[in-house]
């Protein structure tokens, strides 16, 4: 996706910021919940006006962060190119590494809200395709998507705000292996493959 500001480009000096630079500055700030537009503009070395040409408000900033973060975790190849569990495992590990790099991001993502934007749509479509390509009926592929995304994002959010559940440190590899063995979703009473 090309770097396109929210307003038409003007003639003159080239832009000093881009989608990626805005998101990188937001990541470097350390926490989306406390990041202000003023702080972000300062981090980027631009005026408020320059930043507002790219993102009109905090909601648009968060939408932009979501787009870039999801683009960063999508595997380069599609689910049709390899076995679905391997593809989903690579996707989940990408989410683990990228989402946890921005404190508060997984927690924010886990809160109920409407996900919009092309990148999130591609993420959803890819996961559903991984299941349907493996022979899962569309209605169960949709349910499997829901189980996968809520489970992975919920686990990551729990790492940002850990519960005291005992002495053992939670392991993502064990969680992910268990999740993938339980997928795809099946109707009650169906035999496990």
């Amino acid at each position: 996706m090309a770097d396109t500001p929210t307003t038409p480009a003007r003639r003159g000096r080239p832009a000093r910021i881009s989608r990626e630079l805005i998101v990188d500055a937001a990541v470097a700030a350390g926490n989306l919940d406390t990041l202000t537009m003023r702080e972000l503009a300062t981090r980027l070395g631009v005026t408020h006006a320059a930043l507002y040409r790219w993102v009109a408000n905090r909601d648009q900033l968060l939408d932009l962060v979501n787009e870039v973060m999801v683009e960063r975790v999508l595997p380069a190849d599609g689910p049709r190119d390899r076995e679905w569990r391997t593809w989903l495992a690579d996707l989940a590990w990408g989410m683990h590494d990228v989402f946890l790099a921005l404190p508060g991001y997984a927690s924010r993502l886990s809160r109920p809200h409407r996900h919009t934007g092309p990148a999130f749509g591609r993420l959803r479509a890819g996961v559903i395709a991984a299941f349907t390509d493996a022979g899962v009926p569309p209605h169960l592929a949709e349910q499997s998507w829901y189980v996968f995304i809520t489970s992975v994002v919920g686990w990551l959010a729990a790492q940002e705000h850990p519960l005291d559940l005992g002495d053992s440190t939670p392991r993502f590899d064990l969680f992910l292996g268990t999740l993938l063995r339980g997928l795809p979703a099946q109707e009650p009473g169906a035999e496990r493959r």
Side-chain angles (χ1 to χ4, degrees):
M1 178 181 255
D3 290 341
T4 306
T6 56
T7 59
R10 296 180 181 173
R11 296 194 185 271
R13 292 184 355 200
R16 293 175 44 199
I17 57 177
S18 67
R19 294 171 69 243
E20 287 289 333
L21 287 174
I22 292 169
V23 173
D24 288 344
V27 170
N31 192 327
L32 282 180
D33 288 334
T34 60
L35 180 64
T36 65
M37 296 294 279
R38 179 177 305 281
E39 179 185 353
L40 183 59
T42 300
R43 286 180 164 280
L44 289 164
V46 299
T47 65
H48 283 96
L51 178 58
Y52 283 119
R53 283 187 208 115
W54 286 83
V55 287
N57 55 43
R58 188 167 167 73
D59 288 338
Q60 277 191 4
L61 170 63
L62 297 173
D63 288 346
L64 177 62
V65 169
N66 285 338
E67 281 296 299
V68 172
M69 297 293 270
V70 170
E71 287 171 2
R72 289 178 179 177
V73 301
L74 282 170
D77 60 347
R80 291 174 177 87
D81 299 330
R82 54 194 165 119
E83 203 270 329
W84 68 269
R85 280 188 177 91
T86 304
W87 190 86
L88 287 176
D90 287 349
L91 174 60
W93 276 107
M95 292 168 67
H96 175 275
D97 296 345
V98 172
F99 292 1
L100 291 181
L102 178 54
Y105 182 72
S107 296
R108 175 173 284 286
L109 202 57
S110 72
R111 294 181 206 135
H113 64 285
R114 185 160 190 78
H115 294 280
T116 58
F120 193 80
R122 287 192 308 277
L123 176 65
R124 180 179 172 273
V127 172
I128 290 173
F131 290 117
T132 56
D133 290 349
V136 176
H139 73 285
L140 291 177
E142 179 75 30
Q143 291 300 309
S144 298
W145 146 254
Y146 185 75
V147 169
F148 176 80
I149 197 69
T150 58
S151 297
V152 172
V153 170
W155 194 94
L156 296 174
Q159 296 315 294
E160 291 180 338
H161 305 283
L163 303 171
D164 185 8
L165 298 176
D167 296 333
S168 181
T169 301
R171 289 179 42 194
F172 189 70
D173 60 328
L174 294 177
F175 158 77
L176 185 58
T178 302
L179 175 64
L180 293 178
R181 280 191 304 279
L183 287 171
Q186 296 187 16
E187 296 292 352
E191 286 187 36
R192 219 10 92 202
R193 294 186 223 191

